[in-house]
């Protein structure tokens, strides 16, 4: 069909050339317009489709850019959360280790306290004895120093008599408390 139209067009164009040069130019113009219209009818839906696809492409590109930006921010946030999680887990482990150490120390302290509580009674008795002996400390020191200074060279019987009969009576008379002299 195209070959026939082209052959007809060539033939018609040649005939127009023979008839009138101006008519041949007009014929060529009209033929070109008709060809343009045929092509335009075929191209117009394709151009509309291309424009629609370009519009969709731009929308999709903007959406992709928005999603990419959101993914980047989410990735940064996820990385930050991961870092904070690791720090929190490290701190948790450290606190657990410290709690375990404190628990061991508390157990040891409780054992020590329970062990020392049995000693409390004995210490109370010792304290009472020390308090009583403290009141007698002055008299005991006076008797001991006098014995060392004055009677060391005498016989046992004389020392005993001097210590028990003379000095003890003098300390009792002066109301100086003693533990050794009775």
């Amino acid at each position: 069909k195209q070959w026939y139209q082209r052959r007809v067009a060539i033939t018609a164009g040649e005939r127009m050339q023979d008839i009138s040069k101006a008519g041949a130019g007009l014929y060529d113009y009209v033929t070109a317009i008709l060809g343009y219209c045929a092509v335009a009818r075929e191209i117009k839906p394709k151009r509309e489709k291309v424009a629609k696809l370009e519009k969709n492409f731009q929308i999709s590109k903007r959406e992709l850019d928005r999603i990419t930006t959101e993914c980047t921010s989410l990735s940064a946030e996820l990385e930050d959360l991961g870092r904070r999680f690791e720090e929190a887990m490290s701190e948790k482990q450290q606190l657990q280790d410290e709690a375990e150490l404190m628990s061991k120390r508390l157990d040891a302290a409780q054992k020590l306290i329970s062990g020392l509580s049995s000693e409390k009674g004995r210490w109370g008795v010792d304290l009472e004895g020390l308090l009583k002996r403290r009141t007698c400390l002055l008299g005991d020191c006076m008797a001991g120093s006098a014995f060392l200074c004055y009677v060391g060279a005498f016989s046992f019987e004389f020392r005993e008599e001097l210590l028990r009969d003379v000095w003890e009576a003098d300390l009792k008379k002066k109301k100086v408390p003693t533990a050794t002299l009775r």
Side-chain angles (χ1 to χ4, degrees), residues 16-28:
M16 254 335 237
Q17 188 74 14
D18 291 341
I19 300 171
S20 163
K21 284 191 178 209
L26 183 60
Y27 179 78
D28 287 342

Side-chain angles (χ1 to χ4, degrees), residues 2 6 18 34 37 39 45 50 79 98 121 138 141-142 155 179:
Q2 280 184 335
R6 212 162 117 205
D18 291 341
L34 287 176
C37 285
V39 170
V50 165
E79 192 173 303
E98 286 180 24
L138 180 64
C141 285
M142 285 176 63
S155 69

Side-chain angles (χ1 to χ4, degrees), residues 33-166:
I33 292 294
L34 287 176
Y36 174 78
C37 285
V39 170
R41 263 193 307 264
E42 191 176 316
I43 297 286
K44 184 180 178 188
K46 291 180 181 178
R47 281 188 180 167
E48 289 172 354
K49 188 173 182 179
V50 165
K52 184 178 178 183
L53 289 174
E54 284 178 351
K55 182 180 176 184
N56 288 342
F57 171 74
Q58 292 302 324
I59 292 170
S60 296
K61 186 176 179 184
R62 282 193 299 266
E63 184 69 17
L64 176 65
D65 290 343
R66 185 188 65 77
I67 290 172
T68 302
T69 304
E70 188 176 333
C71 282
T72 303
S73 73
L74 288 175
S75 293
E77 186 177 343
L78 181 63
E79 192 173 303
D80 182 51
L81 288 173
R83 180 185 49 78
R84 288 178 31 208
F85 175 75
E86 289 299 322
E87 289 173 359
M89 291 305 290
S90 174
E91 184 178 355
K92 176 188 169 201
Q93 184 62 42
Q94 184 181 18
L95 290 175
Q96 283 179 338
D97 292 345
E98 286 180 24
E100 187 176 321
L101 179 64
M102 291 299 160
S103 176
K104 288 179 182 178
R105 286 181 180 170
L106 181 62
D107 289 343
Q110 286 176 343
K111 287 178 183 177
L112 179 63
I113 288 171
S114 68
L116 292 176
S117 67
S118 65
E119 294 290 316
K120 184 179 178 182
R122 187 179 62 85
W123 289 344
V125 171
D126 288 347
L127 180 63
E128 287 177 22
L130 289 173
L131 289 174
K132 286 178 185 176
R133 287 179 59 195
R134 184 174 76 176
T135 58
C136 300
L137 187 61
L138 180 64
D140 290 345
C141 285
M142 285 176 63
S145 62
F147 183 83
L148 288 175
C149 291
Y150 298 114
V151 294
F154 299 112
S155 69
F156 175 76
E157 292 80 20
F158 181 70
R159 286 185 295 200
E160 187 72 23
E161 181 184 328
L162 188 62
L163 184 63
R164 298 282 173 214
D165 296 336
V166 178

Side-chain angles (χ1 to χ4, degrees), residues 163-182:
L163 184 63
R164 298 282 173 214
D165 296 336
V166 178
W167 289 346
E168 186 177 324
D170 187 46
L171 289 174
K172 281 184 182 180
K173 183 174 140 186
K174 293 180 180 174
K175 296 182 181 178
V176 177
T178 63
T180 57
L181 301 175
R182 293 184 186 147

